[in-house]
């Protein structure tokens, strides 16, 4: 990598931020497209968030990614926020246009693009079960509801959180059929077209899966099983679904596609997703 007197700085604000894979993805693209830019992990505490946002203007950064725990708090410091980010209450991408900072969210649309690429699944008219009711579930649920599914069941360990999410999004999408349940989804999977895990269950050495894996066999043979966890690439849920011969959608694609959409917002240039995927796989091996 060559740093010059013109090199533009980008990065991700987070706390913790040292495990982020985003620098691998973006720096690989800058290199492949010979763009004079560099992307760094930037450790930003809650107390320093405002100062960090000001620095986007000070250093004339084209933009920034925002991750945990700042996706909501950053909104108060921006000049403008797009409709989807406002509704979800989450910004993962900030664009700096001549000192004016706009907030966007690419998580949900990145997820949808990756799902379509890997499985060709179309949400309209379909029955979806989402496991989890946290930040990732919010982003994905919003993008799913935009595409007019038949119904969405939000299943969460803490049922109250699923009920709150269903109530809130039910008000935004008046005609949507939304159901809140616990994680005992068993029978519901009989008529489910897409099962999505948005919980951290399955990640590294944590709990095997959010649901009893035995229940996955209740899905019909055309159902798609999707897991946003990418460490490991093949989670116990993905392995089980593949064993049953179901179509699967793994988590790394969402990371790549949300990053690609951020890059496109910053630069107006089409992101080479293959380059990003290659970098993502390599980075998992070294991180
Ligand atoms: P994220 O931004 O990644 O979605 P989050 O907002 O903290 O993170 O949400 C984590 C989600 O994973 C929640 O739905 C959480 O369930 P609770 O609301 O009951 O806490 C879910 N989750 C985390 N670990 C889990 C586990 N071992 N089994 C089932 N659900 C789990």
């Amino acid at each position: 990598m060559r740093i010059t007197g013109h090199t533009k700085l980008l990065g991700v604000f987070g706390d913790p931020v040292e495990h982020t894979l985003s620098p691998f993805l973006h720096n690989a693209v800058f290199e492949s497209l010979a763009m004079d830019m560099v992307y760094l992990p930037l450790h930003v505490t809650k107390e320093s968030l405002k100062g960090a946002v000001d620095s986007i203007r000070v250093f004339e950064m084209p933009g920034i990614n925002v991750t945990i725990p700042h996706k909501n708090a950053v909104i108060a410091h921006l000049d403008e926020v797009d409709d989807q980010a406002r509704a979800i209450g989450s910004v993962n991408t900030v664009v700096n246009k001549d000192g004016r900072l706009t907030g966007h969210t690419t998580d949900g649309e990145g997820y949808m693009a990756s799902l379509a690429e890997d499985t060709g699944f179309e949400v309209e008219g379909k029955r979806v079960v989402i496991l989890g009711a946290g930040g990732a579930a919010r982003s994905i649920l919003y993008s799913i509801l935009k595409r007019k599914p038949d119904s969405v069941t939000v299943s969460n360990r803490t049922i109250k959180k699923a009920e709150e999410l269903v109530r809130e999004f039910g008000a935004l999408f008046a005609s949507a059929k939304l159901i809140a349940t616990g994680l005992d989804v068993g029978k519901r999977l009989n008529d489910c077209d897409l099962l999505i895990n948005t919980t951290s269950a399955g990640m590294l050495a944590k709990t095997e899966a959010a649901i009893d894996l035995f229940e996955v066999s209740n899905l019909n043979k055309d159902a798609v099983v999707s897991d946003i966890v990418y460490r490991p690439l093949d989670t116990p849920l993905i392995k089980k679904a593949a064993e049953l011969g179901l179509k699967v959608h793994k988590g790394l694609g969402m990371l790549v596609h949300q990053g690609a959409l951020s890059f496109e917002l910053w630069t107006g240039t089409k992101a080479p997703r293959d380059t990003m995927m290659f970098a993502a796989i390599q980075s998992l091996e070294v991180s």
Side-chain angles (χ1 to χ4, degrees):
M1 180 181 300
R2 206 170 126 259
I3 303 289
T4 73
H6 301 281
T7 305
K8 292 284 180 201
L9 173 65
L10 296 100
V12 52
F13 292 169
D15 183 17
V17 77
E18 58 268 28
H19 298 297
T20 175
L21 299 187
S22 293
F24 293 95
L25 274 62
H26 289 292
N27 289 320
V29 174
F30 299 153
E31 204 157 330
S32 79
L33 299 181
M35 295 172 98
D36 196 359
M37 293 179 165
V38 64
Y39 184 109
L40 296 178
L42 299 165
H43 180 228
V44 173
T45 61
K46 279 185 186 162
E47 296 70 36
S48 56
L49 181 61
K50 187 184 179 311
V53 173
D54 287 341
S55 74
I56 301 173
R57 295 193 190 89
V58 172
F59 295 124
E60 298 176 359
M61 299 167 81
I64 206 86
N65 278 139
V66 182
T67 188
I68 287 163
H70 305 309
K71 286 185 175 184
N72 178 264
V74 75
I75 292 174
H77 305 296
L78 302 176
D79 299 306
E80 213 177 307
V81 172
D82 77 23
D83 289 346
Q84 184 153 342
R86 172 84 55 199
I88 300 165
S90 172
V91 160
N92 78 336
T93 306
V94 176
V95 177
N96 179 10
K97 195 90 200 286
D98 304 320
R100 191 171 170 76
L101 304 182
T102 315
H104 306 267
T105 176
T106 66
D107 289 327
E109 292 306 304
Y111 172 83
M112 298 309 308
S114 166
L115 176 71
E117 181 181 72
D118 287 3
T119 67
F121 189 87
E122 284 178 19
V123 166
E124 189 172 351
K126 301 290 189 354
R127 298 155 302 182
V128 181
V129 174
I130 298 182
L131 307 177
R138 286 177 78 81
S139 297
I140 291 171
L141 177 60
Y142 192 94
S143 286
I144 285 190
L145 290 174
K146 272 174 43 181
R147 289 165 173 79
K148 301 190 177 0
D150 172 77
S151 63
V152 182
T153 302
V154 178
S155 305
N156 197 44
R157 184 173 60 182
T158 313
I159 300 185
K160 199 165 170 285
K161 273 173 68 183
E163 287 169 348
E164 278 164 15
L165 183 55
V166 159
R167 199 172 315 122
E168 183 187 340
F169 279 34
L172 294 175
F173 295 88
S175 59
K177 195 166 139 202
L178 280 159
I179 302 139
T181 70
L183 288 174
D184 47 341
V185 283
K187 288 209 183 72
R188 260 175 212 287
L189 298 188
N190 292 336
D191 40 43
C192 162
D193 303 303
L194 171 65
L195 171 66
I196 311 168
N197 174 53
T198 73
T199 77
S200 48
M203 201 187 283
L204 299 175
K206 289 199 194 162
T207 333
E208 204 183 26
I211 55 170
D212 181 351
L213 285 176
F214 186 70
E215 293 176 345
V216 179
S217 52
N218 289 353
L219 288 163
N220 68 63
K221 63 174 180 32
D222 299 318
V224 171
V225 174
S226 171
D227 197 334
I228 69 162
V229 172
Y230 55 80
R231 277 185 175 116
L233 281 175
D234 290 303
T235 63
L237 176 64
I238 289 290
K239 278 189 188 158
K240 178 72 186 178
E243 246 170 62
L244 293 165
L246 302 173
K247 253 191 204 173
V248 296
H249 170 233
K250 302 184 197 179
L252 206 55
M254 176 179 174
L255 178 81
V256 166
H257 280 270
Q258 62 79 30
L261 293 171
S262 295
F263 173 89
E264 287 164 0
L265 284 166
W266 296 323
T267 65
T269 302
K270 180 112 179 114
R273 286 158 175 78
D274 291 354
T275 303
M276 295 180 99
M277 179 54 91
F278 187 68
I281 292 168
Q282 273 193 323
S283 67
L284 275 179
E285 284 164 9
V286 296
S287 65

